[in-house]
PDB file of all heavy atoms in Angstrom:
ATOM      1  N   CYS B1409       9.508 115.130 -40.718  1.00 56.00           N
ATOM      2  CA  CYS B1409      10.620 114.322 -41.215  1.00 56.00           C
ATOM      3  C   CYS B1409      10.332 113.749 -42.599  1.00 56.00           C
ATOM      4  O   CYS B1409      11.193 113.195 -43.225  1.00 56.00           O
ATOM      5  CB  CYS B1409      10.891 113.141 -40.277  1.00 56.00           C
ATOM      6  SG  CYS B1409      11.156 113.661 -38.609  1.00 56.00           S
ATOM      7  N   GLN B1410       9.087 113.838 -43.004  1.00 50.00           N
ATOM      8  CA  GLN B1410       8.695 113.214 -44.262  1.00 50.00           C
ATOM      9  C   GLN B1410       9.688 113.516 -45.386  1.00 50.00           C
ATOM     10  O   GLN B1410       9.982 112.667 -46.207  1.00 50.00           O
ATOM     11  CB  GLN B1410       7.324 113.718 -44.705  1.00 50.00           C
ATOM     12  CG  GLN B1410       6.195 113.374 -43.756  1.00 50.00           C
ATOM     13  CD  GLN B1410       5.687 111.974 -43.904  1.00 50.00           C
ATOM     14  OE1 GLN B1410       6.221 111.191 -44.680  1.00 50.00           O
ATOM     15  NE2 GLN B1410       4.652 111.638 -43.150  1.00 50.00           N
ATOM     16  N   ASP B1411      10.179 114.740 -45.390  1.00 46.00           N
ATOM     17  CA  ASP B1411      11.054 115.124 -46.497  1.00 46.00           C
ATOM     18  C   ASP B1411      12.518 114.886 -46.179  1.00 46.00           C
ATOM     19  O   ASP B1411      13.400 115.283 -46.917  1.00 46.00           O
ATOM     20  CB  ASP B1411      10.823 116.582 -46.866  1.00 46.00           C
ATOM     21  CG  ASP B1411      10.827 117.474 -45.639  1.00 46.00           C
ATOM     22  OD1 ASP B1411      11.170 116.967 -44.539  1.00 46.00           O
ATOM     23  OD2 ASP B1411      10.520 118.641 -45.765  1.00 46.00           O
ATOM     24  N   GLN B1412      12.792 114.266 -45.040  1.00 50.00           N
ATOM     25  CA  GLN B1412      14.188 114.002 -44.683  1.00 50.00           C
ATOM     26  C   GLN B1412      14.685 112.765 -45.403  1.00 50.00           C
ATOM     27  O   GLN B1412      14.456 111.661 -44.969  1.00 50.00           O
ATOM     28  CB  GLN B1412      14.282 113.768 -43.173  1.00 50.00           C
ATOM     29  CG  GLN B1412      14.534 115.041 -42.401  1.00 50.00           C
ATOM     30  CD  GLN B1412      16.000 115.381 -42.373  1.00 50.00           C
ATOM     31  OE1 GLN B1412      16.818 114.507 -42.173  1.00 50.00           O
ATOM     32  NE2 GLN B1412      16.342 116.643 -42.597  1.00 50.00           N
ATOM     33  N   GLY B1413      15.373 112.926 -46.472  1.00 48.00           N
ATOM     34  CA  GLY B1413      15.836 111.758 -47.217  1.00 48.00           C
ATOM     35  C   GLY B1413      17.027 111.089 -46.563  1.00 48.00           C
ATOM     36  O   GLY B1413      17.269 109.899 -46.723  1.00 48.00           O
ATOM     37  N   SER B1414      17.738 111.828 -45.753  1.00 51.00           N
ATOM     38  CA  SER B1414      19.000 111.309 -45.222  1.00 51.00           C
ATOM     39  C   SER B1414      18.780 110.263 -44.154  1.00 51.00           C
ATOM     40  O   SER B1414      17.895 110.367 -43.319  1.00 51.00           O
ATOM     41  CB  SER B1414      19.791 112.473 -44.640  1.00 51.00           C
ATOM     42  OG  SER B1414      20.778 111.980 -43.770  1.00 51.00           O
ATOM     43  N   GLN B1415      19.609 109.205 -44.173  1.00 63.00           N
ATOM     44  CA  GLN B1415      19.532 108.215 -43.117  1.00 63.00           C
ATOM     45  C   GLN B1415      20.688 108.328 -42.149  1.00 63.00           C
ATOM     46  O   GLN B1415      20.853 107.512 -41.265  1.00 63.00           O
ATOM     47  CB  GLN B1415      19.501 106.805 -43.713  1.00 63.00           C
ATOM     48  CG  GLN B1415      18.270 106.590 -44.546  1.00 63.00           C
ATOM     49  CD  GLN B1415      18.198 105.204 -45.127  1.00 63.00           C
ATOM     50  OE1 GLN B1415      19.051 104.360 -44.856  1.00 63.00           O
ATOM     51  NE2 GLN B1415      17.197 104.955 -45.950  1.00 63.00           N
ATOM     52  N   GLU B1416      21.511 109.346 -42.368  1.00 73.00           N
ATOM     53  CA  GLU B1416      22.650 109.531 -41.456  1.00 73.00           C
ATOM     54  C   GLU B1416      22.133 109.972 -40.092  1.00 73.00           C
ATOM     55  O   GLU B1416      21.184 110.726 -39.975  1.00 73.00           O
ATOM     56  CB  GLU B1416      23.565 110.628 -41.988  1.00 73.00           C
ATOM     57  CG  GLU B1416      24.235 110.295 -43.304  1.00 73.00           C
ATOM     58  CD  GLU B1416      25.245 109.169 -43.165  1.00 73.00           C
ATOM     59  OE1 GLU B1416      25.996 109.171 -42.172  1.00 73.00           O
ATOM     60  OE2 GLU B1416      25.263 108.281 -44.052  1.00 73.00           O
ATOM     61  N   LEU B1417      22.786 109.462 -39.038  1.00 77.00           N
ATOM     62  CA  LEU B1417      22.411 109.911 -37.701  1.00 77.00           C
ATOM     63  C   LEU B1417      23.036 111.278 -37.460  1.00 77.00           C
ATOM     64  O   LEU B1417      24.093 111.598 -37.983  1.00 77.00           O
ATOM     65  CB  LEU B1417      22.878 108.914 -36.658  1.00 77.00           C
ATOM     66  CG  LEU B1417      22.319 107.497 -36.763  1.00 77.00           C
ATOM     67  CD1 LEU B1417      22.744 106.669 -35.551  1.00 77.00           C
ATOM     68  CD2 LEU B1417      20.814 107.509 -36.894  1.00 77.00           C
ATOM     69  N   ILE B1418      22.366 112.058 -36.635  1.00 76.00           N
ATOM     70  CA  ILE B1418      22.857 113.402 -36.337  1.00 76.00           C
ATOM     71  C   ILE B1418      23.416 113.417 -34.932  1.00 76.00           C
ATOM     72  O   ILE B1418      22.784 112.894 -34.007  1.00 76.00           O
ATOM     73  CB  ILE B1418      21.695 114.411 -36.447  1.00 76.00           C
ATOM     74  CG1 ILE B1418      21.175 114.420 -37.889  1.00 76.00           C
ATOM     75  CG2 ILE B1418      22.117 115.787 -35.997  1.00 76.00           C
ATOM     76  CD1 ILE B1418      19.714 114.657 -37.997  1.00 76.00           C
ATOM     77  N   GLU B1419      24.586 114.010 -34.758  1.00 78.00           N
ATOM     78  CA  GLU B1419      25.195 114.028 -33.439  1.00 78.00           C
ATOM     79  C   GLU B1419      24.643 115.222 -32.649  1.00 78.00           C
ATOM     80  O   GLU B1419      24.871 116.351 -32.986  1.00 78.00           O
ATOM     81  CB  GLU B1419      26.719 114.128 -33.570  1.00 78.00           C
ATOM     82  CG  GLU B1419      27.429 113.935 -32.238  1.00 78.00           C
ATOM     83  CD  GLU B1419      28.886 113.546 -32.432  1.00 78.00           C
ATOM     84  OE1 GLU B1419      29.408 113.723 -33.559  1.00 78.00           O
ATOM     85  OE2 GLU B1419      29.506 113.067 -31.471  1.00 78.00           O
ATOM     86  N   VAL B1420      23.853 114.921 -31.618  1.00 78.00           N
ATOM     87  CA  VAL B1420      23.255 116.017 -30.863  1.00 78.00           C
ATOM     88  C   VAL B1420      24.150 116.480 -29.714  1.00 78.00           C
ATOM     89  O   VAL B1420      24.098 117.624 -29.295  1.00 78.00           O
ATOM     90  CB  VAL B1420      21.869 115.629 -30.309  1.00 78.00           C
ATOM     91  CG1 VAL B1420      20.851 115.616 -31.413  1.00 78.00           C
ATOM     92  CG2 VAL B1420      21.917 114.291 -29.601  1.00 78.00           C
ATOM     93  N   SER B1421      24.914 115.541 -29.165  1.00 80.00           N
ATOM     94  CA  SER B1421      25.941 115.910 -28.189  1.00 80.00           C
ATOM     95  C   SER B1421      27.026 114.861 -28.363  1.00 80.00           C
ATOM     96  O   SER B1421      26.805 113.879 -29.073  1.00 80.00           O
ATOM     97  CB  SER B1421      25.341 115.910 -26.780  1.00 80.00           C
ATOM     98  OG  SER B1421      24.865 114.618 -26.459  1.00 80.00           O
ATOM     99  N   PRO B1422      28.185 115.041 -27.741  1.00 80.00           N
ATOM    100  CA  PRO B1422      29.272 114.089 -28.041  1.00 80.00           C
ATOM    101  C   PRO B1422      28.836 112.634 -27.874  1.00 80.00           C
ATOM    102  O   PRO B1422      28.303 112.264 -26.837  1.00 80.00           O
ATOM    103  CB  PRO B1422      30.362 114.472 -27.015  1.00 80.00           C
ATOM    104  CG  PRO B1422      30.077 115.888 -26.673  1.00 80.00           C
ATOM    105  CD  PRO B1422      28.602 116.085 -26.809  1.00 80.00           C
ATOM    106  N   GLU B1423      29.060 111.868 -28.906  1.00 81.00           N
ATOM    107  CA  GLU B1423      28.760 110.424 -28.913  1.00 81.00           C
ATOM    108  C   GLU B1423      27.282 110.118 -28.691  1.00 81.00           C
ATOM    109  O   GLU B1423      26.939 109.027 -28.287  1.00 81.00           O
ATOM    110  CB  GLU B1423      29.588 109.690 -27.852  1.00 81.00           C
ATOM    111  CG  GLU B1423      31.052 109.574 -28.229  1.00 81.00           C
ATOM    112  CD  GLU B1423      31.795 108.693 -27.251  1.00 81.00           C
ATOM    113  OE1 GLU B1423      31.362 107.544 -27.066  1.00 81.00           O
ATOM    114  OE2 GLU B1423      32.776 109.161 -26.671  1.00 81.00           O
ATOM    115  N   HIS B1424      26.435 111.057 -28.892  1.00 84.00           N
ATOM    116  CA  HIS B1424      25.001 110.793 -28.791  1.00 84.00           C
ATOM    117  C   HIS B1424      24.375 111.145 -30.133  1.00 84.00           C
ATOM    118  O   HIS B1424      24.322 112.287 -30.534  1.00 84.00           O
ATOM    119  CB  HIS B1424      24.400 111.641 -27.654  1.00 84.00           C
ATOM    120  CG  HIS B1424      22.963 111.309 -27.388  1.00 84.00           C
ATOM    121  ND1 HIS B1424      22.265 111.875 -26.362  1.00 84.00           N
ATOM    122  CD2 HIS B1424      22.093 110.470 -27.987  1.00 84.00           C
ATOM    123  CE1 HIS B1424      21.016 111.416 -26.354  1.00 84.00           C
ATOM    124  NE2 HIS B1424      20.898 110.560 -27.349  1.00 84.00           N
ATOM    125  N   PHE B1425      23.919 110.108 -30.837  1.00 84.00           N
ATOM    126  CA  PHE B1425      23.418 110.303 -32.198  1.00 84.00           C
ATOM    127  C   PHE B1425      21.927 109.994 -32.245  1.00 84.00           C
ATOM    128  O   PHE B1425      21.445 109.101 -31.548  1.00 84.00           O
ATOM    129  CB  PHE B1425      24.139 109.366 -33.171  1.00 84.00           C
ATOM    130  CG  PHE B1425      25.603 109.609 -33.252  1.00 84.00           C
ATOM    131  CD1 PHE B1425      26.488 109.033 -32.333  1.00 84.00           C
ATOM    132  CD2 PHE B1425      26.113 110.423 -34.249  1.00 84.00           C
ATOM    133  CE1 PHE B1425      27.828 109.246 -32.427  1.00 84.00           C
ATOM    134  CE2 PHE B1425      27.502 110.629 -34.331  1.00 84.00           C
ATOM    135  CZ  PHE B1425      28.351 110.044 -33.422  1.00 84.00           C
ATOM    136  N   VAL B1426      21.231 110.696 -33.121  1.00 83.00           N
ATOM    137  CA  VAL B1426      19.802 110.432 -33.254  1.00 83.00           C
ATOM    138  C   VAL B1426      19.413 110.570 -34.726  1.00 83.00           C
ATOM    139  O   VAL B1426      20.044 111.285 -35.485  1.00 83.00           O
ATOM    140  CB  VAL B1426      18.991 111.373 -32.335  1.00 83.00           C
ATOM    141  CG1 VAL B1426      19.147 112.799 -32.779  1.00 83.00           C
ATOM    142  CG2 VAL B1426      17.529 110.967 -32.253  1.00 83.00           C
TER     143      VAL B1426
END
Side-chain angles (χ1 to χ4, degrees):
Chain B
C1409 306
Q1410 297 279 5
D1411 48 8
Q1412 270 276 317
S1414 162
Q1415 296 181 4
E1416 295 292 318
L1417 300 187
I1418 297 147
E1419 189 160 16
V1420 286
S1421 60
E1423 287 187 56
H1424 187 175
F1425 298 85
V1426 65

